[in-house]
């Protein structure tokens, strides 16, 4: 590869961060006609997208292609992860009519592949599992040929909630690992690395036919060596699809950016992941969990 990888366990970058983002992280500002149409439709149906709430850099590209990731269960999270731009606090009461509105939006867009995610809802008895399951059912009722991918919270590891979602037969079951074990306390204090691994074991035991997927964001202080170990751990619990992307600090109040991971390093992670046996690896600076999700489905043979 063009430049050497460094895997030291102490300081990760060899020089101060540049004042501006590297060229490979620059994207065109959203504003095309399809983007504006979808934005208005989301407001008319009182829906949220993680594209907007998480300040995704790809929102313009994806919306211009007529795809979006729906964020159900409101836009206020019960947890406060140090890297996440989604608002946290006390969520409003869940609206049981939301699954129908999401399905209506999918039907209007005539989607072939739908991605559903949510905030954490630790305030709900089932942590939001019914909402995921009902939304899957409503979408498949309107669009029987569409595939549905769910990016779920951890449901505090409760098997009943995991089963509820899987019994609705999503085409991909996704839960993001986010970072390496050493950084969980700092970056994801409400989560547990061991719980993530157990979630995938449970999902494969309950529904071995449903592919599992996860994502890691890089640049919060991890080493390449630690990332590779996480990749090995994920293969040990039979995760099928992996995404890796660059962390971009939402504000000064979020965890500090440690480094910009180069395109060459992302390519190296792709090669390592494929060698480890993932069915598909999407690895690049602008990659997010649902970025090019339809292409991921095709590449993985789902």
């Amino acid at each position: 590869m063009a430049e050497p990888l460094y895997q030291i366990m102490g300081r990760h970058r060899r020089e101060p961060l540049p004042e501006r983002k590297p060229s490979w992280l620059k994207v065109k500002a959203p504003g095309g006609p399809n983007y504006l149409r979808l934005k208005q439709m989301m407001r008319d149906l009182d829906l949220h997208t993680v594209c907007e709430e998480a300040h995704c850099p790809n929102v313009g590209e994806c919306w211009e292609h007529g795809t979006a990731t729906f964020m159900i269960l409101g836009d206020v999270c019960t947890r406060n992860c140090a890297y996440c731009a989604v608002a946290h606090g006390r969520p409003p009461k869940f609206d049981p009519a939301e699954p129908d509105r999401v399905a209506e939006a999918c039907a209007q867009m005539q989607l072939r592949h739908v991605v559903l995610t949510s905030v954490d809802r630790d305030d709900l008895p089932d942590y939001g599992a019914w909402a995921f399951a009902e939304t899957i059912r409503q979408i498949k009722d309107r669009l029987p040929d569409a595939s549905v991918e769910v990016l779920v919270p951890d449901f505090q590891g409760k098997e009943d909630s995991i089963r509820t979602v899987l019994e609705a037969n999503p085409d991909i079951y996704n839960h993001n690992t986010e970072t390496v074990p050493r950084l969980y306390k700092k970056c994801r204090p409400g989560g547990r690395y061991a719980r993530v691994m157990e979630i995938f074991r449970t999902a494969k035991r309950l529904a071995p036919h449903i592919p599992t997927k996860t994502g890691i964001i890089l640049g919060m202080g991890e080493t390449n060596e630690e990332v590779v170990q996480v990749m090995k751990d994920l293969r040990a619990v039979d995760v099928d699809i992996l995404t890796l992307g660059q962390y971009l600090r939402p504000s000064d109040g979020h965890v500090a950016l440690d480094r910009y991971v180069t395109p060459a390093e992302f390519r190296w992670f792709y090669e390592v992941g494929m060698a480890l046996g993932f069915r598909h690896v999407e690895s690049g600076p602008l990659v997010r969990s649902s970025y090019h999700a339809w292409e991921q489905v095709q590449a993985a043979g789902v």
Side-chain angles (χ1 to χ4, degrees):
M1 63 193 312
E3 55 186 277
L5 294 170
Y6 45 99
Q7 302 181 21
I8 58 175
M9 297 298 292
R11 186 172 178 82
H12 310 296
R13 58 178 183 269
R14 293 164 290 185
E15 55 187 27
L17 288 170
E19 292 184 5
R20 297 183 178 181
K21 292 179 183 177
S23 60
W24 59 78
L25 287 172
K26 295 179 181 179
V27 295
K28 183 180 179 181
N34 212 34
Y35 169 84
L36 296 174
R37 180 183 67 84
L38 290 180
K39 188 178 182 71
Q40 185 59 50
M41 184 180 72
M42 298 301 174
R43 299 298 80 79
D44 291 345
L45 293 171
D46 191 25
L47 297 174
H48 304 284
T49 67
V50 76
C51 320
E52 297 172 286
E53 303 298 336
H55 303 171
C56 181
N58 307 308
V59 60
E61 177 186 352
C62 292
W63 284 28
E64 279 304 307
H65 283 85
T67 63
T69 298
F70 295 92
M71 191 169 77
I72 63 175
L73 294 163
D75 61 349
V76 179
C77 188
T78 55
R79 300 189 192 176
N80 186 20
C81 295
Y83 53 82
C84 185
V86 176
H88 67 278
R90 184 176 180 180
K93 185 177 180 180
F94 169 62
D95 179 4
E98 183 182 58
D100 182 72
R101 295 200 308 276
V102 173
E104 177 60 28
C106 294
Q108 288 187 28
M109 295 168 69
Q110 285 296 298
L111 298 180
R112 293 182 300 164
H113 183 70
V114 181
V115 183
L116 302 174
T117 189
S118 79
V119 293
D120 278 283
R121 290 298 301 261
D122 297 313
D123 60 313
L124 297 177
D126 69 348
Y127 311 103
W130 178 88
F132 272 99
E134 182 62 16
T135 306
I136 295 167
R137 288 189 287 264
Q138 293 269 5
I139 292 170
K140 294 205 170 197
D141 183 58
R142 285 174 170 82
L143 295 170
D145 294 329
S147 53
V148 181
E149 174 179 336
V150 292
L151 171 54
V152 296
D154 65 14
F155 300 136
Q156 294 195 12
K158 303 301 182 183
E159 184 171 317
D160 285 348
S161 291
I162 297 170
R163 180 184 290 107
T164 294
V165 177
L166 290 171
E167 286 180 346
N169 202 33
D171 294 274
I172 295 178
Y173 191 86
N174 183 356
H175 174 68
N176 279 341
T177 305
E178 307 291 18
T179 191
V180 302
R182 178 175 57 84
L183 297 180
Y184 255 63
K185 186 175 181 180
K186 178 177 78 170
C187 299
R188 200 182 191 190
R192 300 291 182 273
Y193 183 78
R195 181 192 294 166
V196 172
M197 298 302 130
E198 188 57 36
I199 286 168
F200 288 121
R201 291 190 191 94
T202 301
K204 280 298 185 183
R205 173 168 53 82
L206 295 175
H209 63 289
I210 295 178
T212 49
K213 174 180 172 181
T214 196
I216 307 171
I217 47 177
L218 306 181
M220 296 192 294
E222 75 292 327
T223 66
N224 292 333
E225 182 179 60
E226 288 175 306
V227 174
V228 171
Q229 184 57 55
V230 171
M231 294 165 72
K232 292 178 179 178
D233 292 345
L234 292 168
R235 283 302 303 135
V237 293
D238 204 20
V239 170
D240 299 290
I241 303 170
L242 174 66
T243 64
L244 302 104
Q246 171 71 53
Y247 169 62
L248 297 174
R249 193 182 194 188
S251 76
D252 290 343
H254 291 80
V255 67
L257 174 66
D258 179 78
R259 60 170 173 153
Y260 289 115
V261 181
T262 68
E265 287 178 284
F266 275 113
R267 178 66 190 181
W268 182 77
F269 282 126
Y270 165 81
E271 293 170 354
V272 170
M274 294 304 292
L276 286 172
F278 288 100
R279 288 166 65 176
H280 180 67
V281 177
E282 191 85 16
S283 180
L286 292 172
V287 168
R288 297 297 181 265
S289 187
S290 55
Y291 184 53
H292 290 174
W294 175 249
E295 289 86 345
Q296 293 175 30
V297 169
Q298 292 178 312
V302 176

